[in-house]
Amino acid sequence: MKLIVAIVQDQDAPTLIDELTEKEYRITKLASTGGFLKSGNTTLLIGVEDEKVEEVIDIVESTCKTREITTSLLTVSMPGDTYIPYPLEVKVGGATIFILDVEKYVRL
Ligand code: 2BA
């Protein structure tokens, strides 16, 4: 068994969860925050049999879109605490996926 950890954009999460639930996958949704943009994203934990991993990746790929995001990061430019915002273009991927081996799975 594998644990798929998928970090996706909030906008894509509802459709992805619907698609996976419809195919009878079990999911846990976590509200997460990206370290770089410091804005919200969604992390899904999906426990699956080994042979289902590719199907889940395909569903994530077909549901989650890459987007260009313009954000404004604040930087301290002067010793006098002056903050200057500057625009930053970032391409946020459709999904970041980690696949981990599960040693044991218990549902009581
Ligand atoms: P964030 O950390 O908010 O990153 C958003 C996007 O900013 C990233 O998109 C990437 O394009 C850019 N970025 C991130 N760190 C950067 C850096 N140090 N320098 C320059 N640009 C940087 P994605 O790579 O598609 O990542 C989307 C979200 O997935 C991330 O949000 C983070 O929450 C998660 N993530 C990505 N890679 C990860 C990893 N290796 N470990 C843990 N979480 C990861």
Side-chain angles (χ1 to χ4, degrees):
M1 186 175 204
K2 305 284 187 201
L3 178 65
I4 301 175
V5 179
I7 304 164
V8 303
Q9 296 177 55
D10 287 344
Q11 300 98 303
D12 296 323
T15 311
L16 176 58
I17 290 168
D18 285 351
E19 295 243 351
L20 290 170
T21 307
E22 207 169 287
K23 295 205 159 66
E24 299 191 358
Y25 289 106
R26 294 171 191 273
I27 303 158
T28 295
K29 173 180 180 284
L30 306 174
S32 45
T33 304
F36 188 70
L37 293 177
K38 296 180 177 56
S39 62
N41 54 26
T42 297
T43 299
L44 299 181
L45 306 181
I46 313 156
V48 296
E49 295 308 322
D50 290 18
E51 61 274 16
K52 295 288 187 183
V53 168
E54 289 310 316
E55 183 181 59
V56 171
I57 292 173
D58 287 348
I59 294 169
V60 174
E61 197 174 3
S62 67
T63 315
C64 298
K65 299 175 181 60
T66 298
R67 294 184 181 87
E68 289 263 350
I69 294 187
T70 305
T71 181
S72 106
L73 291 187
L74 293 175
T75 183
V76 181
S77 68
M78 311 261 291
D81 274 343
T82 306
Y83 286 88
I84 299 188
Y86 64 93
L88 180 77
E89 288 235 329
V90 177
K91 192 177 273 189
V92 183
T96 300
I97 301 174
F98 301 91
I99 296 165
L100 296 85
D101 284 322
V102 173
E103 197 176 298
K104 195 172 174 182
Y105 171 57
V106 181
R107 273 174 61 221
L108 301 172

